[in-house]
């Protein structure tokens, strides 16, 4: 007896929707072999009506009404690719309520409402596939959920935003300013016209929220994280970091502490230049996961794009086609719908890179180092650099491990000194990712 | 109603058996949450009788008769960790015939008899889990089977033998000779007393056979691959490679060619020093997989050891506990039990590094370059180096892309010249992993 095909509906036909559709059409034969059932792209919903016979699909495939797909009893899985957090939430909740499985690439939605959506999926005994929500086609979600199932996860470090990584790579390798690098990223389509989410660290925070929640088995709200973007990074910082043997990456960090609460931050961070994550450049993403038994594992690849992300969507579809009938609530991310608390950065000890611009005159160094000393911050190295501005000096300090709270209050005081010209730049240094919890 | 526990039997209580048992005991609570069922370590078989109350397990857990485990109707999964290819094969076939799922870490067995074992698993409608067979705890099997399911795999490059990688890393970073590095690897337990399989490339070939078979959907026999070990690599080669901007890695290569047959080789290979695989050092493994949609993805971590490998065994157990009832034959590796043919290295074009030792006298260079030219091999760079042996000269050549067959026959002729002192060393150069099919 021939099995009836497994029918897919896609809601949202932007870059990822189109990539997903292309893959479903091109790989249909191979996927049928892999999933044990024919996977059919049945319907596509989009608000635009001018999609015509895109991809050679008959006009009957397209609709402007996503509910026509959700309410079609012959559809097995609905793929939400509309983005945003309003209509997308309706698509997923209505899909689950209709008794269908959902697949989404929407990290913002999961980071905002994941606990509620996964609780509803459990209630409905349906899956939400979200491999595509973090790191595009790199199977990091599946690795965390299944491949590392034998391990208690202790920490993870991720370069999870391709736009920010592209900008920092351009600044490093081509000596561009932040502004010029951002412009180049926009020209090449790596950054949106409004790049706020990417360069302010919000998109990274969404993704780290998902990874940390999976890793530590509880829902962590990104609003609770320490988040810094890359907008304050100057080409000077890139250069000085390099002189000191470091590379600056927008690094998501999630470390379980002995308190049972994780410390989670997204911030531009100095890591050693010979660290393998330092070699993850341009639009590539990389996640470094430490399990208690396996030790450190690293996953890299392209983090975005219609086809890479579409290939992750398709891996979820194949998974559901294989296992949908078997799937139980135990695969849901946040079983209890509540959220866990995190350790504040104030409680963290770290080494810091500090860049100060001050007047180039006698006594300045004494004032600055006096303030640092008074706050218990000890200096590991200090360089004074010439500034291109006449009369200014640039001071670059590397501290020994200090309480972050003290560094912040010390720099608040330094910023108020009559000898400093600009607000101090401070960046965390992580010397040995392998040694972190 | 409380579900009955999912009961595990382990056959073979060496390093990995012990690691697996430890993890099952330590992570029981977390795994029950993840698998939706309590996973119980029920029985352990080993030929040794002096295991006593190892790990605090009661004496009733141990047996010297593995058939007592296989024939116990309350056991759901049998884990084969005896190694070798004789008893291990019986353990797996009898397990499948008893209607149980099998898990193994045995790459040699799968590379030798995988097509038969997987055919039997299909017949019996049972799974063989083998995440632990390649790259220890790194979930590269699961990534190939599931995470990249949306992609047609085009190529893969793997550093899959930690012993060889450790030796080459020691030679590079600590300037040891091959012999001294091997001795150090043995002292630290990274190499066996008989390291033949590791340093001759056979172990790598077993693993690449498994990865390539998964990637390309057909069983490829490792006996058909082009296999070279690292025994001929001298510290000179490491140094000269580095001068030229390269690192030598024992690299498994599997590239699908337009003919529909892959080229598969295991050989020490020069890759650019800034390539991310070049940063996979010492006992670490790394696999670089290219899918047609996702592009390049890389997976790294520790490739061996009781706990890392045990954690991969456990991930298979969790997978079977979740999905065993749902699993269909479509997940089997080699559906038809036969094997595919591969492209011979003779047909491959490649750049080569060639090191020659010749008498340091006039006319030598003309003779050597004459032979190369006559075979159609054009020289990209050439360095003459002083030898520590008086009267000898070392000549290091980088060729342009040449047919491998021609390089081989040219060097056969060069080796017969009356001006050469030692057999020529030739190593393939791969300049851009990202550009390989």
């Amino acid at each position: 007896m021939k099995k009836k095909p497994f029918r897919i509906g896609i809601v949202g036909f932007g870059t990822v929707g189109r990539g997903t559709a292309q893959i479903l059409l091109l790989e249909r034969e191979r996927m049928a072999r892999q999933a044990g059932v024919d996977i059919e792209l049945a319907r596509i919903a989009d608000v635009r009506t001018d999609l015509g016979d895109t991809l050679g699909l008959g006009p009957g495939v397209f609709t402007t009404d996503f509910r026509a797909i959700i309410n079609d009893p012959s559809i097995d899985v609905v793929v939400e690719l509309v983005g945003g957090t309003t209509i997308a939430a309706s698509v997923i909740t209505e899909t689950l309520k209709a008794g269908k499985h959902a697949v989404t690439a929407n990290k913002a939605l999961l980071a905002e409402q994941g606990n509620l959506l996964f609780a509803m999926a459990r209630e409905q005994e349906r899956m939400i596939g979200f491999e595509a929500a973090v790191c595009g086609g790199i199977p990091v979600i599946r690795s965390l959920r299944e491949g590392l199932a034998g391990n208690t996860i202790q920490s993870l470090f991720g370069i999870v935003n391709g736009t920010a990584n592209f900008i920092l790579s351009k600044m490093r390798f081509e000596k561009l300013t932040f502004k010029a690098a951002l412009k180049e990223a926009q020209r090449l389509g790596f950054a949106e016209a409004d790049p706020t989410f990417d360069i302010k660290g919000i998109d990274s925070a969404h993704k780290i929220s998902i990874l940390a929640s999976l890793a530590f088995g509880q829902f962590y709200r990104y609003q609770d994280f320490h988040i810094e973007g890359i907008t304050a990074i100057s080409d000077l910082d890139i250069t000085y970091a390099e002189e000191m043997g470091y590379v600056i990456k927008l690094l998501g960090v999630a470390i379980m502490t002995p308190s049972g609460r994780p410390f989670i931050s997204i911030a531009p961070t100095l890591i050693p230049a010979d660290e393998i994550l330092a070699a993850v450049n341009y639009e590539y993403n990389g996640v470094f996961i430490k399990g208690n038994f396996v030790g450190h594992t690293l996953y890299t690849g392209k983090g975005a794009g219609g086809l890479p992300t579409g290939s992750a969507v398709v891996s979820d579809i194949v998974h559901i086609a294989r296992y949908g009938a078997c799937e139980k609530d135990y695969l849901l991310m946040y079983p209890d719908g509540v959220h866990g608390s995190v350790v504040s950065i104030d409680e963290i000890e770290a080494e810091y890179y500090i860049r100060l611009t001050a007047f180039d005159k006698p006594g300045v160094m004494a004032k600055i180092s006096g303030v640092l000393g008074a706050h218990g911050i000890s200096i590991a190295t200090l360089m004074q650099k010439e500034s291109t501005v006449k009369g200014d000096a640039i001071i670059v300090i590397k501290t020994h491990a200090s309480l972050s709270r003290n560094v912040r209050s010390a720099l608040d005081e330094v910023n108020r000194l009559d000898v400093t010209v600009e607000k101090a730049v401070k960046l965390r240094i992580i010397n040995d990712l392998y040694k972190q919890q």
Side-chain angles (χ1 to χ4, degrees), chain A:
Chain A
M1 193 193 74
K2 208 171 160 294
K3 269 193 238 168
K4 81 169 196 57
F6 197 72
R7 284 166 59 87
I8 311 302
I10 294 177
V11 180
F13 203 59
T15 312
V16 178
R18 194 172 295 252
T20 302
Q22 270 181 282
I23 296 171
L24 288 173
L25 295 173
L26 285 170
E27 302 278 315
R28 186 163 178 175
E29 202 184 320
R30 191 184 53 72
M31 284 188 317
R33 254 191 337 267
Q34 240 178 315
V37 58
D38 181 32
I39 294 174
E40 181 186 348
L41 172 55
R43 300 298 301 276
I44 295 169
D46 198 281
V47 284
R48 289 165 300 170
T49 51
D50 58 345
L51 299 167
D53 64 346
T54 322
L55 304 177
L57 293 161
V61 167
F62 289 96
T63 170
T64 53
D65 175 17
F66 72 81
R67 292 193 174 89
I69 293 182
I70 292 174
N71 297 325
D72 178 342
S74 77
I75 300 275
D76 298 286
V77 172
V78 175
V79 182
E80 179 283 302
L81 297 171
V82 288
T85 54
T86 51
I87 299 170
S90 308
V91 171
I92 293 182
T93 54
E94 293 179 29
T95 295
L96 296 170
K97 281 185 189 154
K100 299 182 196 313
H101 302 287
V103 173
T104 180
N106 197 327
K107 57 257 175 184
L109 178 64
L110 294 181
E112 294 268 4
Q113 306 173 35
N115 53 345
L116 306 174
L117 293 172
F118 286 103
M120 177 180 288
R122 175 160 71 163
E123 216 177 276
Q124 302 293 329
E125 297 186 355
R126 285 300 172 269
M127 290 184 70
I128 302 175
F130 55 100
E131 182 65 70
V134 183
C135 291
I138 314 166
V140 64
I141 298 292
R142 192 150 278 112
S143 294
L144 264 175
R145 275 167 56 136
E146 304 190 29
L148 301 176
N151 294 269
T152 292
I153 305 301
Q154 298 176 314
S155 62
L156 62 88
F157 298 87
I159 297 169
V160 292
N161 182 280
T163 306
N165 202 34
F166 182 88
I167 291 170
L168 292 174
S169 299
K170 278 273 165 187
M171 291 173 74
R172 176 177 169 210
F173 294 116
E174 295 169 32
K175 307 291 168 208
L176 299 189
T177 61
F178 173 80
K179 254 191 174 162
L182 171 58
K183 221 170 166 180
E184 181 69 0
Q186 286 170 320
R187 195 182 63 80
L188 292 168
F190 290 125
E192 309 276 337
D194 176 3
T196 312
F197 266 35
D198 293 325
I199 63 179
K200 297 264 187 195
I202 307 298
D203 174 78
S204 294
H206 289 155
K207 292 165 177 166
I208 295 294
S209 157
I210 294 171
L211 293 179
S213 300
L214 267 176
F216 305 136
Q218 210 171 358
F219 180 50
Y220 300 101
R221 288 158 27 105
Y222 76 92
Q223 296 92 334
D224 296 339
F225 305 166
H226 175 79
I227 303 175
E228 292 172 51
I230 58 168
T231 49
I233 303 294
S234 124
D235 38 340
L236 289 178
D237 299 314
I238 308 260
T239 305
Y240 298 152
E242 198 142 16
E243 280 176 28
M244 293 158 70
Y246 293 99
V247 169
I248 301 178
K249 292 289 181 189
L250 182 60
L251 197 68
V253 170
I255 301 176
M256 183 49 75
T257 72
S259 69
R261 293 173 303 142
F263 168 65
I264 309 183
S265 78
I266 288 87
T269 305
L270 276 68
I271 60 173
D274 60 1
E275 182 70 63
I276 195 162
L277 264 189
V280 174
N281 289 312
Y282 293 104
E283 71 270 32
Y284 277 77
N285 283 193
V287 178
F288 197 62
I289 302 174
K290 184 176 179 201
N292 58 337
F293 299 118
V294 72
H296 296 87
T297 57
L298 177 79
Y299 310 81
T300 70
K302 272 185 198 155
L307 290 170
T309 308
S311 80
V313 169
V314 169
S315 79
D316 277 339
I317 292 172
V318 170
H319 180 88
I320 294 172
R322 278 177 182 160
Y323 302 122
C326 240
E327 196 60 81
K328 301 280 161 27
D329 62 1
Y330 46 80
L331 263 192
L332 299 174
M333 259 175 90
Y334 322 120
D336 50 10
V338 299
H339 62 85
S341 72
V342 299
V343 171
S344 156
I345 189 154
D346 279 349
E347 300 173 43
I348 298 295
E349 275 216 338
E351 294 176 31
Y352 278 94
Y353 158 99
I354 296 169
R355 173 170 57 86
L356 300 162
T357 310
F359 295 116
D360 189 9
K361 57 182 187 188
V364 167
M365 197 70 87
K367 276 197 181 174
I368 291 170
S369 52
V371 172
L372 293 176
H375 287 266
I377 293 154
S378 93
I379 294 171
T381 66
L382 187 150
M383 308 186 286
Q384 179 166 337
K385 299 272 181 181
E386 270 185 46
S387 169
T388 50
V389 178
K390 208 177 140 73
D392 287 359
I394 296 171
I395 298 162
V396 180
I397 292 168
K398 185 176 144 186
T399 72
H400 284 298
S402 311
L403 210 56
S404 295
R405 170 201 306 151
N406 293 351
V407 175
R408 182 167 44 78
S409 45
L411 292 185
D412 282 349
E413 200 174 321
V414 166
N415 287 337
R416 285 193 306 266
L417 290 179
D418 55 4
V419 299
T420 52
V421 178
E422 276 175 15
K423 245 187 105 184
V425 170
K426 79 169 195 300
L427 301 169
R428 191 175 165 194
I429 300 173
I430 301 186
N431 274 308
D432 194 343
L433 298 186
Y434 288 80
K435 280 204 191 124
Q436 304 290 320
Q437 162 65 344

